[in-house]
Amino acid sequence: MRIVKQAAIAALALMAVTGAVQAKEWKNIRIAVEGAFPPFNYVGADNQIGGFDVEIAKAVCNQLKAECTFAVQDWDGLIPALQAGKFDAIFSSMSITDERKKVIDFSRPYYQSPSSFIAPKSAAIKDTSPESLKGKTIGAQSSTVQATELEEKYKGSDVKLYPTQDEVNLDLVSGRIDMLFVDKLPGLDWLKTADGANFEFVGTDLPTDGVGAGVRQADSDLRDQISAAIVAIKADGTYDKINAKYFPFSIWKD
């Protein structure tokens, strides 16, 4: 009996040393995006998805020599659907947070963007501390780091949460909210539109931990392969070419 146990232990040790147990090689990856967060992800007039997130995901898949398929999923359903096995990874400008890391895992960040307030130019708001914004009605997309920040720290404000960022923007234009809180990069893109012409960033930006690809906690091999691919497309210049299509400055997070 002892001989059998020793043989089994020796075999396991040999497997560890020789790498006999290999991580799964992902050659088919199902990817989800919200499709409603331009310029990062959107559904175009031709009913095709596009945007920065999508192009980075495709570059990652190309680096991994994997066949990838894409699906559109509403924002609030992204994590539940991932956990239910409807797809394998989320590339949808999902910020890395401690709260989310309790239920899913993340690749290394593939971009960074602070959180920012936007208000009418006529409001001339300078201070965006919780004390200064007491009584203000502030909008944000639900289930985002901005929503969490407002609910936890801006208790003296009237916080309104919406299913999509477009709805937040529309209520700001219509005057139903005093200001909004958003990821700065899509906010910058919106300020360039006709609807955003009379609005501006106000106050101080709040830093985040960056945006990564979300995967199930059990799929650490996929997480690591995506992370390695992100580093590789940065090194070979692919990332910078995609970045330049959307932004006049680098959004890479070291």
Side-chain angles (χ1 to χ4, degrees):
M1 191 68 173
R2 180 177 295 176
I3 295 174
V4 173
K5 286 183 178 179
Q6 289 175 338
I9 292 170
L12 288 172
L14 180 63
M15 289 171 68
V17 171
T18 61
V21 178
Q22 298 291 331
K24 176 180 176 181
E25 189 174 10
W26 289 78
K27 290 303 179 186
N28 293 282
I29 305 172
R30 300 166 299 166
I31 295 173
V33 300
E34 180 192 11
F37 199 59
F40 289 94
N41 59 83
Y42 55 84
V43 179
D46 57 0
N47 216 31
Q48 298 297 308
I49 60 169
F52 180 83
D53 290 319
V54 176
E55 293 202 40
I56 292 296
K58 288 179 177 179
V60 164
C61 291
N62 185 60
Q63 180 68 33
L64 295 175
K65 296 181 172 56
E67 182 178 339
C68 293
T69 55
F70 289 82
V72 174
Q73 171 71 52
D74 67 274
W75 177 258
D76 287 340
L78 279 169
I79 290 178
L82 174 70
Q83 293 174 313
K86 292 184 178 180
F87 40 79
D88 305 306
I90 298 169
F91 273 84
S92 196
S93 287
M94 185 168 282
S95 296
I96 300 168
T97 68
D98 290 338
E99 192 66 24
R100 287 177 181 146
K101 286 193 289 186
K102 292 176 182 178
V103 292
I104 65 172
D105 212 344
F106 285 93
S107 71
R108 68 143 290 149
Y110 61 90
Y111 82 83
Q112 62 179 341
S113 177
S115 297
S116 302
F117 288 95
I118 293 177
K121 292 177 179 178
S122 58
I125 293 174
K126 302 298 182 184
D127 187 352
T128 51
S129 64
E131 294 75 19
S132 294
L133 297 185
K134 282 182 179 179
K136 296 287 188 184
T137 302
I138 311 172
Q141 185 176 7
S142 62
S143 302
T144 62
V145 293
Q146 292 81 26
T148 300
E149 183 80 10
L150 291 176
E151 291 181 315
E152 290 181 352
K153 298 181 180 179
Y154 287 77
K155 298 184 183 298
S157 301
D158 181 13
V159 176
K160 292 187 178 296
L161 303 181
Y162 301 76
T164 69
Q165 188 61 44
D166 283 344
E167 293 173 81
V168 188
N169 299 345
L170 287 171
D171 266 13
L172 181 62
V173 173
S174 68
R176 285 190 282 269
I177 57 177
D178 297 312
M179 57 200 308
L180 61 79
F181 195 38
V182 67
D183 183 296
K184 187 164 190 172
L185 292 174
L188 177 64
D189 196 60
W190 180 72
L191 289 176
K192 296 176 183 176
T193 67
D195 282 347
N198 295 319
F199 301 88
E200 64 182 357
F201 289 121
V202 296
T204 304
D205 293 342
L206 298 180
T208 67
D209 290 332
V211 165
V215 301
R216 288 179 289 275
Q217 291 179 335
D219 293 335
S220 58
D221 45 6
L222 178 59
R223 175 202 66 201
D224 293 344
Q225 289 169 38
I226 290 175
S227 293
I230 291 169
V231 172
I233 64 172
K234 173 61 175 172
D236 70 12
T238 302
Y239 181 96
D240 290 340
K241 290 179 182 177
I242 297 171
N243 191 134
K245 287 179 61 177
Y246 294 91
F247 308 105
F249 47 83
S250 176
I251 63 173
W252 174 256
K253 181 174 177 62
D254 289 319

